[in-house]
Amino acid sequence: MSFQIKLKTFPIKFLVFLLSLFFFLASLAALNAQTAEISAQGPESSSAAAALAAGQTAETKIEISGEIGEPAVSQPPATVAAPAPAPEQVPLPPAVKPLNVTASIDTVFITPGQTLDLSSITLSTQISKDAVKIESWSADTGSVNINTYTPPDANFKGIVALYAHYMDGGVIKKKEIELKVRKNYLEERLIVLYMALILAVIILLSINSALSGKNYFIRRIGGLNAIDEAIGRSTEMGKPVLYLTGLSDMSSISTIASISILSYVATKTAEYETSLLVPCCRSLVMNTAREVVKESYLEAGKPDAYNAENIKYITDDQFGFVSGVDGIMMREKPAANFYLGHFMAESLIYAETGNSIGAIQIAGTSEFSQIPFFVAACDYCLIGEELFAASAYLSRKPKDVGTLRGQDIAKLAIMVIVIIGVVLETLAVINPGLSSSLGMYKSVFQTK
Amino acid sequence: MFLRKTLPLLICFFCGVFAIIGFFSAEGTTINTYYEKLAKWNSIIAAFAMLLGVGNLLRVNFVKISRNHQDKVYCAILIVSLIATASFGLIGGVYSSKPVYYMAPGQNFDLSTIAVTYKNENRKIEPMKIESWSADTGSVSLNTYTPPTSDFNGVVVLWADYMNKNEAKKIKVELHVRKRPAYEGFLDFFKNKCAYVFEYMIKPMQSTMFSLLAFFVASAAFRAFRAKSFEATILLVTAFIVMLGRVPIGTSIWPGFAGISEWILSTVNMAGSRAITLGAAVGATAACLKIILGLETRYLGGE
């Protein structure tokens, strides 16, 4: 028995030993280098040391741009360089520190057809804040004089580079200011505002209708029906349930949707007295998840079954988190894995590791690029908006069901708009005379 | 109840409404300026929340060690690594990849200490020949830089000129002319260690995890592409065509694979993608509306 224990702990001890050795050697090497850098005063023969003796120190990394190759880390040469050709002293202008000039504004906006009053833009030195006289202006397009910039034409939209020319030590220098010629935000985003308002009205009316007692049909979502089955399976097998909310913080709507589903899952695990593991990638998500799970356990009448240590923060780093979660999967062997939220490249790593331990897996994300991975590797997958519909599906409360109906009406409206667009586009190909009406249609829905 | 539910809901409502108004306000207006500040607050709160996470991490692992948990050795390694890396970063500061050199006033700088290397076509690191040097102030030769005056203090920009494919190119090097206190060298030690941890420990480990994907894609594809049903057969055939269109051997067999593959991706796949994206966007908007109006409270805990 004791031999077995020794065998088990040997790799760990060996790893600790290796790690300690590594840290010790790394520290020693770094300390050596640093000592040389700080105190190399002796008559060393190397040019690096000679330079250091002269009071110069160097950081060793250099970035090389251009086509020559990738940047590489370089070290100062340890030996004296080959004799160089006789140095040619290149006389340079007298030493005058260049002015560090800042503009009163870095980016300016005008709408098409407008001219820009340049007198409102001033230059000053960064430290003393003294005003710097602008000698002239130039621009990469349009016309410009000392007071005004005029775009090339009345309909011009785009970004213009404006240059304010000033004198610095007898030399003309220039400061770039970005000019954006475009419609103002409200004008550009008006269609978005209208759409959002229409959507809001539809949803609120639907909620009102649902609250007044009207029943609405909700189509069956396989992945959500399987939640109870998955938790039940875990309970039967005496194994925990693993729940991931994804990579994003609480500012992501996917994470909030996931937290809503977690509330339901936690209620079920509390009822079945099954352990629920929630490793988190963000500390705010961890705190929110703890609150939600705790409340769910309280509501289920099982506050004692709640274990805060099961909801823990691992790391913000994407692949660090993946390795942490994979480790939990391999050690704890959960029987049901839930991946609901915002996932990126790590989605398939979770799903395949979960598959290798034989867990029933339910995934859901609105991230289009990750859906194929979840579909391929998981038992059930919530696609796109099903993630947001999940809380309504699970709770069946009128306000949630009303929201779902509102979403469906909005999607129907979008489908109609798309179909009209397709028909108009097709007709415009057949009959070019219709292209002007198509242009009008496009202009309504096109935003930047 | 007020602090747990009502106040968060009020904050959520006001922030949500303010963000909507800010989004539709013109740039440069007061509301838009504060809207942009609100977005920055999010980052600041997230940075402070990091302390919560670190605190939790330390507590969980210390508890495991104190309870003599079977994984206590891993817990110890985690705590040591966390403290060591954090110390390197906190003491040394952020490591800059820009090449920065230092020299004391009144001295000449030996330019041969700046060794410039590059990776050739075979990815071998080779020294690069510097044709000449130039500087924004002071005088410079091929081997030595001399500041303009003996008491000159400041930052000098040096340019190393080299030839690449018969084209003259430059590399910028910053030279700080000032007396360096000894403590800066001490700080450099930590700064370099911080960079070392990221470059030679964290990055390779991240790459290792990422590279697992290649194997997982193969195993997932093997399971998913079994022709068990009509739909699965369509999936298999489509995937096979797309795969052949994306690899050189496919176009060698029949050049048409590339065109079919491109059509599947840009037409069939794109249509599905747009439908899912539009649906998700409507869903997200509805969810946001519910949160702003306080109709969705589950994220605060309870119903």
Side-chain angles (χ1 to χ4, degrees):
Chain A
M1 187 66 182
S2 64
F3 178 68
Q4 276 183 342
I5 290 168
K6 273 180 190 169
L7 264 184
K8 273 183 188 172
T9 54
F10 174 74
I12 299 166
K13 283 179 180 169
F14 185 64
L15 192 70
V16 173
F17 171 73
L18 277 182
L19 209 71
S20 314
L21 192 70
F22 164 74
F23 269 109
F24 176 72
L25 289 176
S27 309
L28 207 66
L31 202 65
N32 262 345
Q34 201 58 38
T35 313
E37 203 173 64
I38 298 166
S39 64
Q41 304 287 338
E44 305 258 352
S45 61
S46 78
S47 61
L52 289 164
Q56 65 190 44
T57 56
E59 291 180 9
T60 54
K61 189 165 184 177
I62 192 158
E63 293 286 338
I64 303 168
S65 56
E67 296 162 19
I68 198 149
E70 290 172 31
V73 176
S74 64
Q75 298 285 345
T79 54
V80 181
E88 291 170 30
Q89 290 289 333
V90 181
L92 286 171
V96 179
K97 283 297 288 172
L99 290 174
N100 198 353
V101 169
T102 54
S104 58
I105 190 162
D106 291 324
T107 309
V108 277
F109 305 91
I110 57 170
T111 52
Q114 261 191 338
T115 54
L116 175 68
D117 179 11
L118 295 172
S119 62
S120 60
I121 302 170
T122 54
L123 296 185
S124 59
T125 52
Q126 202 168 39
I127 299 165
S128 62
K129 299 288 173 198
D130 292 336
V132 176
K133 191 187 171 199
I134 298 172
E135 304 290 334
S136 62
W137 284 91
S138 63
D140 62 351
T141 183
S143 57
V144 66
N145 61 32
I146 190 73
N147 286 325
T148 319
Y149 167 79
T150 312
D153 61 75
N155 298 319
F156 175 81
K157 279 190 244 173
I159 295 173
V160 179
L162 284 171
Y163 298 102
H165 300 266
Y166 61 94
M167 297 297 287
D168 181 6
V171 180
I172 295 174
K173 292 193 176 173
K174 58 184 181 181
K175 174 78 184 167
E176 186 181 337
I177 289 134
E178 191 181 56
L179 168 67
K180 287 182 180 171
V181 187
R182 58 169 178 73
K183 287 180 180 177
N184 67 38
Y185 258 14
L186 191 58
E187 205 177 329
E188 268 184 2
R189 296 178 176 180
L190 215 52
I191 185 69
V192 182
L193 181 64
Y194 289 149
M195 296 286 263
L197 284 175
I198 292 168
L199 181 61
V201 169
I202 291 170
I203 289 169
L204 290 175
L205 285 175
S206 302
I207 290 172
N208 192 41
S209 168
L211 284 171
S212 65
K214 200 165 184 183
N215 277 327
Y216 292 114
F217 168 75
I218 303 178
R219 75 174 169 84
R220 192 177 165 276
I221 300 175
L224 296 174
N225 283 341
I227 289 179
D228 288 2
E229 178 196 331
I231 298 170
R233 183 174 178 262
S234 291
T235 311
E236 282 169 11
M237 294 172 79
K239 289 181 174 180
V241 170
L242 179 81
Y243 192 101
L244 298 181
T245 58
L247 279 184
S248 293
D249 214 331
M250 286 308 295
S251 52
S252 161
I253 198 71
S254 298
T255 310
I256 295 176
S258 176
I259 290 286
S260 296
I261 306 169
L262 172 65
S263 166
Y264 177 82
V265 171
T267 310
K268 287 289 168 194
T269 54
E271 283 171 8
Y272 297 155
E273 294 188 8
T274 302
S275 180
L276 173 65
L277 307 174
V278 189
C280 298
C281 187
R282 310 281 167 190
S283 43
L284 275 182
V285 176
M286 176 197 74
N287 275 324
T288 313
R290 279 186 172 181
E291 282 299 311
V292 167
V293 173
K294 195 176 172 183
E295 288 283 336
S296 299
Y297 273 70
L298 269 172
E299 274 174 20
K302 303 275 175 61
D304 296 341
Y306 169 69
N307 183 2
E309 281 182 19
N310 283 346
I311 304 161
K312 58 187 172 190
Y313 168 79
I314 294 183
T315 171
D316 273 40
D317 182 75
Q318 183 185 15
F319 289 104
F321 183 68
V322 173
S323 56
V325 171
D326 275 8
I328 290 170
M329 281 192 207
M330 297 313 289
R331 286 191 299 274
E332 307 288 341
K333 300 266 191 298
N337 292 347
F338 294 92
Y339 316 117
L340 300 163
H342 179 242
F343 293 89
M344 300 296 287
E346 76 285 0
S347 58
L348 191 63
I349 303 180
Y350 295 141
E352 280 299 287
T353 312
N355 185 67
S356 73
I357 57 167
I360 183 166
Q361 303 196 96
I362 299 170
T365 183
S366 56
E367 192 63 36
F368 174 73
S369 57
Q370 302 309 314
I371 291 171
F373 295 128
F374 277 147
V375 170
C378 294
D379 300 284
Y380 298 95
C381 183
L382 305 180
I383 296 170
E385 92 273 13
E386 286 179 349
L387 177 69
F388 304 111
S391 63
Y393 187 89
L394 294 169
S395 73
R396 306 272 170 158
K397 287 187 174 170
K399 64 178 180 187
D400 293 328
V401 176
T403 316
L404 212 54
R405 184 173 178 265
Q407 283 179 48
D408 284 347
I409 293 171
K411 277 189 282 179
L412 189 68
I414 291 170
M415 281 159 67
V416 171
I417 291 167
V418 170
I419 289 168
I420 293 172
V422 170
V423 170
L424 283 177
E425 187 84 45
T426 312
L427 288 177
V429 172
I430 299 165
N431 182 2
L434 284 169
S435 58
S436 59
S437 59
L438 181 65
M440 274 174 63
Y441 185 80
K442 272 184 180 173
S443 68
V444 172
F445 294 103
Q446 262 178 354
T447 55
K448 283 192 176 179
Chain B
M1 188 63 187
F2 175 77
L3 286 177
R4 283 184 66 84
K5 283 275 158 98
T6 316
L7 186 64
L9 286 176
L10 280 174
I11 293 172
C12 182
F13 175 77
F14 283 114
C15 289
V17 171
F18 184 76
I20 292 171
I21 295 170
F23 180 77
F24 291 109
S25 303
E27 282 165 319
T29 56
T30 315
I31 291 176
N32 191 268
T33 312
Y34 279 101
Y35 162 67
E36 281 172 6
K37 278 188 183 169
L38 194 69
K40 284 179 187 164
W41 287 4
N42 187 30
S43 311
I44 295 166
I45 292 168
F48 275 100
M50 173 72 87
L51 292 176
L52 267 174
V54 172
N56 172 260
L57 204 64
L58 288 172
R59 201 178 64 81
V60 166
N61 286 286
F62 271 124
V63 166
K64 274 189 179 174
I65 293 170
S66 66
R67 287 179 188 167
N68 208 15
H69 191 274
Q70 58 175 357
D71 294 337
K72 62 179 183 295
V73 180
Y74 299 115
C75 298
I77 292 171
L78 188 143
I79 291 169
V80 170
S81 308
L82 175 74
I83 292 171
T85 312
S87 308
F88 293 152
L90 287 171
I91 300 170
V94 181
Y95 181 84
S96 164
S97 59
K98 280 196 302 183
V100 179
Y101 288 77
Y102 295 92
M103 65 176 284
Q107 307 281 343
N108 290 341
F109 187 83
D110 181 5
L111 293 171
S112 65
T113 56
I114 303 174
V116 184
T117 57
Y118 74 100
K119 275 184 188 170
N120 65 14
E121 292 82 7
N122 303 322
R123 303 188 68 78
K124 279 189 178 172
I125 295 174
E126 287 185 359
M128 193 164 64
K129 191 189 171 197
I130 296 170
E131 305 289 334
S132 63
W133 285 90
S134 56
D136 64 346
T137 184
S139 57
V140 68
S141 70
L142 193 61
N143 287 325
T144 315
Y145 168 76
T146 311
T149 55
S150 60
D151 57 350
F152 176 83
N153 267 270
V155 180
V156 178
V157 178
L158 291 168
W159 297 93
D161 305 306
Y162 65 95
M163 296 299 288
N164 177 25
K165 296 174 185 169
N166 296 325
E167 198 182 330
K169 300 226 169 186
K170 288 182 175 197
I171 302 162
K172 187 178 167 186
V173 178
E174 249 180 44
L175 176 63
H176 291 241
V177 185
R178 65 180 170 85
K179 199 169 180 188
R180 285 197 95 200
Y183 76 87
E184 281 193 16
F186 173 75
L187 295 184
D188 276 353
F189 166 77
F190 289 98
K191 196 183 276 187
N192 290 337
K193 285 304 106 193
C194 190
Y196 187 89
V197 168
F198 274 92
E199 285 289 329
Y200 301 110
M201 295 176 81
I202 293 177
K203 276 190 186 174
M205 286 194 281
Q206 285 176 330
S207 308
T208 308
M209 285 307 294
F210 191 56
S211 61
L212 285 177
L213 265 181
F215 303 100
F216 285 148
V217 165
S219 64
F222 179 74
R223 281 205 317 280
F225 295 159
R226 272 180 293 186
K228 290 181 288 189
S229 61
F230 178 67
E231 289 88 350
T233 312
I234 292 175
L235 187 71
L236 173 67
V237 172
T238 314
F240 193 68
I241 292 169
V242 172
M243 197 169 67
L244 282 176
R246 310 293 280 182
V247 292
I249 195 168
T251 45
S252 310
I253 297 167
W254 182 52
F257 279 130
I260 297 174
S261 163
E262 197 54 44
W263 180 81
I264 290 170
L265 286 174
S266 63
T267 308
V268 183
N269 184 57
M270 186 60 78
S273 150
R274 294 253 166 95
I276 290 172
T277 309
L278 278 170
V282 171
T285 312
C288 287
L289 189 73
K290 277 202 303 179
I291 290 162
I292 291 170
L293 296 178
L295 296 169
E296 169 67 71
T297 56
R298 272 177 286 246
Y299 67 97
L300 296 172
E303 289 296 315

Short mmCIF file of all heavy atoms in Angstrom, two decimals, chain B residues 27-50:
data_model
loop_
_atom_site.label_atom_id
_atom_site.label_comp_id
_atom_site.label_asym_id
_atom_site.label_seq_id
_atom_site.Cartn_x
_atom_site.Cartn_y
_atom_site.Cartn_z
N GLU B 27 -21.39 62.15 -32.30
CA GLU B 27 -20.06 62.15 -31.68
C GLU B 27 -19.70 63.55 -31.24
O GLU B 27 -20.00 64.53 -31.94
CB GLU B 27 -19.03 61.65 -32.69
CG GLU B 27 -19.06 60.15 -32.85
CD GLU B 27 -18.31 59.71 -34.09
OE1 GLU B 27 -18.46 60.38 -35.12
OE2 GLU B 27 -17.60 58.71 -34.02
N GLY B 28 -19.07 63.63 -30.11
CA GLY B 28 -18.64 64.94 -29.61
C GLY B 28 -19.64 65.58 -28.68
O GLY B 28 -19.29 66.50 -27.93
N THR B 29 -20.89 65.08 -28.67
CA THR B 29 -21.87 65.66 -27.75
C THR B 29 -21.59 65.14 -26.34
O THR B 29 -20.92 64.12 -26.16
CB THR B 29 -23.32 65.27 -28.15
OG1 THR B 29 -23.37 63.85 -28.21
CG2 THR B 29 -23.70 65.86 -29.49
N THR B 30 -22.13 65.86 -25.35
CA THR B 30 -21.85 65.50 -23.96
C THR B 30 -22.34 64.07 -23.68
O THR B 30 -21.63 63.28 -23.04
CB THR B 30 -22.57 66.49 -23.02
OG1 THR B 30 -22.34 67.79 -23.51
CG2 THR B 30 -22.07 66.38 -21.59
N ILE B 31 -23.53 63.77 -24.15
CA ILE B 31 -24.10 62.44 -23.86
C ILE B 31 -23.21 61.36 -24.47
O ILE B 31 -22.90 60.36 -23.82
CB ILE B 31 -25.54 62.33 -24.42
CG1 ILE B 31 -26.45 63.24 -23.60
CG2 ILE B 31 -26.04 60.89 -24.36
CD1 ILE B 31 -27.87 63.29 -24.09
N ASN B 32 -22.78 61.59 -25.70
CA ASN B 32 -21.94 60.59 -26.37
C ASN B 32 -20.60 60.41 -25.65
O ASN B 32 -20.09 59.31 -25.52
CB ASN B 32 -21.72 60.98 -27.83
CG ASN B 32 -21.10 59.86 -28.62
OD1 ASN B 32 -19.88 59.80 -28.73
ND2 ASN B 32 -21.91 58.96 -29.14
N THR B 33 -20.07 61.54 -25.14
CA THR B 33 -18.79 61.47 -24.41
C THR B 33 -18.96 60.61 -23.15
O THR B 33 -18.13 59.74 -22.86
CB THR B 33 -18.33 62.89 -24.01
OG1 THR B 33 -18.44 63.72 -25.14
CG2 THR B 33 -16.93 62.89 -23.47
N TYR B 34 -20.07 60.85 -22.42
CA TYR B 34 -20.29 60.07 -21.19
C TYR B 34 -20.63 58.61 -21.52
O TYR B 34 -20.32 57.71 -20.76
CB TYR B 34 -21.38 60.71 -20.34
CG TYR B 34 -20.83 61.86 -19.53
CD1 TYR B 34 -21.02 63.17 -19.93
CD2 TYR B 34 -20.07 61.63 -18.38
CE1 TYR B 34 -20.49 64.23 -19.21
CE2 TYR B 34 -19.53 62.68 -17.65
CZ TYR B 34 -19.74 63.98 -18.07
OH TYR B 34 -19.20 65.00 -17.36
N TYR B 35 -21.25 58.42 -22.68
CA TYR B 35 -21.57 57.05 -23.13
C TYR B 35 -20.27 56.26 -23.34
O TYR B 35 -20.15 55.11 -22.93
CB TYR B 35 -22.39 57.13 -24.42
CG TYR B 35 -22.44 55.87 -25.24
CD1 TYR B 35 -23.09 54.75 -24.77
CD2 TYR B 35 -21.86 55.82 -26.50
CE1 TYR B 35 -23.15 53.59 -25.54
CE2 TYR B 35 -21.92 54.67 -27.27
CZ TYR B 35 -22.56 53.57 -26.78
OH TYR B 35 -22.61 52.43 -27.53
N GLU B 36 -19.30 56.95 -23.95
CA GLU B 36 -18.00 56.28 -24.16
C GLU B 36 -17.29 56.04 -22.84
O GLU B 36 -16.61 55.04 -22.65
CB GLU B 36 -17.14 57.12 -25.09
CG GLU B 36 -17.56 56.91 -26.54
CD GLU B 36 -16.90 57.84 -27.53
OE1 GLU B 36 -16.00 58.59 -27.12
OE2 GLU B 36 -17.30 57.82 -28.70
N LYS B 37 -17.49 56.99 -21.89
CA LYS B 37 -16.89 56.80 -20.56
C LYS B 37 -17.52 55.60 -19.86
O LYS B 37 -16.85 54.86 -19.15
CB LYS B 37 -17.07 58.07 -19.71
CG LYS B 37 -16.04 59.13 -20.00
CD LYS B 37 -16.13 60.27 -19.04
CE LYS B 37 -15.10 61.32 -19.44
NZ LYS B 37 -15.28 62.57 -18.74
N LEU B 38 -18.81 55.44 -20.07
CA LEU B 38 -19.53 54.33 -19.45
C LEU B 38 -18.93 52.99 -19.89
O LEU B 38 -18.78 52.06 -19.10
CB LEU B 38 -21.01 54.39 -19.85
CG LEU B 38 -21.98 53.54 -19.06
CD1 LEU B 38 -22.14 54.05 -17.64
CD2 LEU B 38 -23.35 53.50 -19.73
N ALA B 39 -18.57 52.93 -21.17
CA ALA B 39 -17.95 51.71 -21.69
C ALA B 39 -16.60 51.47 -21.01
O ALA B 39 -16.21 50.32 -20.75
CB ALA B 39 -17.78 51.83 -23.20
N LYS B 40 -15.89 52.58 -20.71
CA LYS B 40 -14.59 52.43 -20.03
C LYS B 40 -14.78 51.96 -18.59
O LYS B 40 -13.96 51.23 -18.06
CB LYS B 40 -13.83 53.76 -20.06
CG LYS B 40 -13.22 54.05 -21.42
CD LYS B 40 -12.50 55.37 -21.42
CE LYS B 40 -12.05 55.71 -22.85
NZ LYS B 40 -11.69 57.11 -22.99
N TRP B 41 -15.86 52.43 -17.95
CA TRP B 41 -16.14 51.99 -16.58
C TRP B 41 -16.24 50.47 -16.54
O TRP B 41 -15.82 49.86 -15.57
CB TRP B 41 -17.46 52.58 -16.09
CG TRP B 41 -17.39 54.04 -15.77
CD1 TRP B 41 -16.31 54.88 -15.95
CD2 TRP B 41 -18.43 54.85 -15.22
NE1 TRP B 41 -16.64 56.15 -15.56
CE2 TRP B 41 -17.92 56.17 -15.12
CE3 TRP B 41 -19.74 54.60 -14.82
CZ2 TRP B 41 -18.69 57.22 -14.61
CZ3 TRP B 41 -20.49 55.64 -14.33
CH2 TRP B 41 -19.98 56.93 -14.21
N ASN B 42 -16.84 49.92 -17.57
CA ASN B 42 -17.01 48.47 -17.63
C ASN B 42 -15.65 47.78 -17.51
O ASN B 42 -15.48 46.83 -16.75
CB ASN B 42 -17.68 48.12 -18.97
CG ASN B 42 -18.04 46.66 -19.06
OD1 ASN B 42 -18.31 46.04 -18.05
ND2 ASN B 42 -18.03 46.12 -20.26
N SER B 43 -14.65 48.32 -18.24
CA SER B 43 -13.31 47.72 -18.20
C SER B 43 -12.71 47.89 -16.81
O SER B 43 -12.03 46.99 -16.30
CB SER B 43 -12.40 48.39 -19.22
OG SER B 43 -13.02 48.44 -20.45
N ILE B 44 -12.95 49.07 -16.20
CA ILE B 44 -12.36 49.32 -14.88
C ILE B 44 -12.98 48.37 -13.84
O ILE B 44 -12.27 47.77 -13.03
CB ILE B 44 -12.58 50.79 -14.47
CG1 ILE B 44 -11.80 51.71 -15.42
CG2 ILE B 44 -12.15 51.05 -13.03
CD1 ILE B 44 -12.18 53.16 -15.36
N ILE B 45 -14.29 48.21 -13.92
CA ILE B 45 -14.97 47.30 -12.97
C ILE B 45 -14.44 45.87 -13.15
O ILE B 45 -14.15 45.17 -12.19
CB ILE B 45 -16.50 47.35 -13.16
CG1 ILE B 45 -17.02 48.72 -12.73
CG2 ILE B 45 -17.20 46.26 -12.35
CD1 ILE B 45 -18.46 49.01 -13.13
N ALA B 46 -14.28 45.49 -14.44
CA ALA B 46 -13.78 44.14 -14.73
C ALA B 46 -12.38 43.96 -14.16
O ALA B 46 -12.04 42.89 -13.65
CB ALA B 46 -13.79 43.90 -16.22
N ALA B 47 -11.55 45.03 -14.22
CA ALA B 47 -10.19 44.93 -13.69
C ALA B 47 -10.21 44.74 -12.18
O ALA B 47 -9.45 43.93 -11.63
CB ALA B 47 -9.41 46.18 -14.05
N PHE B 48 -11.12 45.45 -11.51
CA PHE B 48 -11.21 45.28 -10.06
C PHE B 48 -11.77 43.90 -9.71
O PHE B 48 -11.39 43.31 -8.70
CB PHE B 48 -12.08 46.38 -9.44
CG PHE B 48 -11.30 47.63 -9.15
CD1 PHE B 48 -11.33 48.71 -9.99
CD2 PHE B 48 -10.50 47.69 -8.02
CE1 PHE B 48 -10.58 49.85 -9.75
CE2 PHE B 48 -9.74 48.82 -7.75
CZ PHE B 48 -9.79 49.91 -8.62
N ALA B 49 -12.68 43.45 -10.57
CA ALA B 49 -13.28 42.14 -10.33
C ALA B 49 -12.23 41.03 -10.40
O ALA B 49 -12.40 39.97 -9.81
CB ALA B 49 -14.38 41.87 -11.34
N MET B 50 -11.14 41.31 -11.11
CA MET B 50 -10.04 40.35 -11.20
C MET B 50 -9.52 40.02 -9.79
O MET B 50 -9.18 38.88 -9.49
CB MET B 50 -8.93 40.95 -12.06
CG MET B 50 -7.66 40.15 -12.11
SD MET B 50 -7.83 38.66 -13.06
CE MET B 50 -7.46 39.26 -14.66
#
